[in-house]
Amino acid sequence: MDYCIYATSKKSCDNLIVTCRNKKLLYAQISDLKHASVLINHNVSIEERSYSEFEDIDLIIFTAAAPLILGQNRLDMLETSKEIVKEVIPQIMASGFHGIIIVVTNPVDIVSYLIYKFSGLTNKKVIGTGTFLDTLRLKRERSEVFNVDVANISTYVVGEHGDSQVISWSNTIIEGDDIEKAAYKRGFQNVKDIERNIENKVKRAGWDIANFKGATTYGIANAVAEIVDCIFYNENKEYTLSTLDEGIYSSVPVILGRSGIQKKLMIKYSMYELEKLQKSKNIIRSVSDIE
């Protein structure tokens, strides 16, 4: 629901459709959004619809999930998420929907694949948020450690949105320098220790937030708003998103535009990163029961 605030404030859409099983909560959320939209100087229609009325919708943000239980990992949420997909997606597709689905529900890589499978849509139109937020977290951590603006950092987190995610240090550029040169310029002695500390913080960031407030909200909501803007305005930007790759859904750098995933980018990784990336994909494949 936090995304809806960004969508209305950024004027990303003219029509916002919200649906939820809890009708009392749905009424309250829609009313609250309508009140918030008054000050944005942009006429946004905010309404409820059933899945059977999704035929003319351009884009769905799929967030349906069971409440997070502290102590779980993302893969522990699979069985409940799988049942939700099996129930909801056939209803949506029966409406005649043929737009784009942005998947947020965890475990996002596997849920994205399931939606791709059950919807019959092309993989270009079923897009998982994947490691986009992890990449943003990585940029923030490096920005603080190296004391540079996040705009001057280029980097990737790829693979699973989860514990096996892979940071590509070999493709990290900080103000035009690779990680070792950037560290040397700042007098940092042990680059590997820096990498290890940053990697642990990024991997734990979502859980650290959830442990105190129950779930992550602002970061993922703003990430989704960025994705939606890129699609609606056909910006053809580069992001790390979960898409079909070697028969599974996994995060890779892609170009995103009006019709969804435009293309996957061919990035060169170090041998160590390639080994970790293959292990990450194998974890997704094994849990997904996909060959």
Side-chain angles (χ1 to χ4, degrees), residues 3-282:
Y3 160 74
C4 296
I5 296 295
Y6 285 102
T8 52
S9 64
K10 293 178 72 172
K11 306 178 183 179
S12 297
C13 61
D14 297 319
N15 300 285
L16 186 62
I17 311 300
V18 187
T19 186
C20 180
R21 285 180 175 175
N22 187 329
K23 297 303 179 184
K24 291 182 178 179
L25 176 61
L26 179 61
Y27 166 78
Q29 296 282 33
I30 289 177
S31 297
D32 206 8
L33 284 167
K34 286 180 177 179
H35 303 157
S37 69
V38 173
L39 293 175
I40 66 171
N41 195 31
H42 176 64
N43 187 27
V44 181
S45 169
I46 304 172
E47 60 178 298
E48 173 192 0
R49 286 194 198 177
S50 64
Y51 297 130
S52 63
E53 300 173 301
F54 277 24
E55 69 278 358
D56 62 342
I57 291 177
D58 295 315
L59 185 148
I60 292 172
I61 300 166
F62 192 90
T63 62
L68 173 68
I69 299 173
L70 294 181
Q72 286 184 323
N73 63 38
R74 294 178 181 90
L75 295 178
D76 292 332
M77 306 166 73
L78 174 58
E79 288 307 314
T80 302
S81 298
K82 186 186 296 185
E83 293 307 311
I84 293 172
V85 170
K86 288 180 178 179
E87 175 189 347
V88 171
I89 292 301
Q91 295 182 60
I92 290 174
M93 299 313 298
S95 74
F97 172 80
H98 57 276
I100 293 172
I101 302 180
I102 305 299
V103 185
V104 181
T105 302
N106 277 316
V108 68
D109 304 297
I110 303 165
V111 173
S112 297
Y113 177 83
L114 290 172
I115 291 177
Y116 160 70
K117 181 178 179 180
F118 282 102
S119 70
L121 294 169
T122 69
N123 61 288
K124 291 184 177 181
K125 286 190 170 186
V126 179
I127 306 163
T129 51
T131 58
F132 180 32
L133 179 56
D134 301 293
T135 300
L136 299 180
R137 290 167 174 161
L138 177 58
K139 286 186 176 183
R140 171 55 64 184
E141 286 296 329
R142 286 182 179 159
S143 169
E144 294 178 358
V145 170
F146 287 86
N147 193 29
V148 298
D149 193 297
V150 291
N152 295 325
I153 298 174
S154 175
T155 192
Y156 304 102
V157 180
V158 293
E160 179 202 6
H161 173 57
D163 294 341
S164 69
Q165 64 184 225
V166 179
I167 293 176
S168 181
W169 296 102
S170 66
N171 286 294
T172 294
I173 301 297
I174 301 173
E175 291 188 330
D177 297 324
D178 62 30
I179 184 72
E180 292 192 359
K181 189 172 182 179
Y184 175 79
K185 283 184 174 180
R186 289 159 180 80
F188 298 158
Q189 299 299 314
N190 196 323
V191 176
K192 293 301 179 184
D193 283 347
I194 294 171
E195 291 177 355
R196 193 176 303 111
N197 290 336
I198 291 176
E199 185 171 345
N200 289 335
K201 284 185 178 181
V202 171
K203 191 177 294 186
R204 288 297 314 167
W207 296 115
D208 289 342
I209 294 168
N211 283 336
F212 288 105
K213 60 178 285 187
T216 59
T217 52
Y218 304 135
I220 187 59
N222 204 27
V224 170
E226 173 75 9
I227 292 169
V228 172
D229 278 359
C230 184
I231 292 171
F232 281 167
Y233 297 119
N234 196 30
E235 293 177 335
N236 290 298
K237 288 183 177 179
E238 177 185 340
Y239 302 114
T240 47
L241 297 172
S242 190
T243 188
L244 194 65
D245 186 46
E246 297 182 6
I248 60 168
Y249 262 68
S250 175
S251 285
V252 296
V254 300
I255 299 297
L256 185 68
R258 183 65 184 88
S259 59
I261 301 289
Q262 305 299 301
K263 64 177 178 179
K264 293 188 288 186
L265 300 180
M266 304 306 293
I267 303 297
K268 290 184 178 180
Y269 301 101
S270 69
M271 288 302 297
Y272 176 68
E273 291 165 355
L274 283 172
E275 290 175 4
K276 291 184 68 177
L277 184 55
Q278 192 57 55
K279 288 180 181 178
S280 183
K281 290 180 178 180
N282 287 341

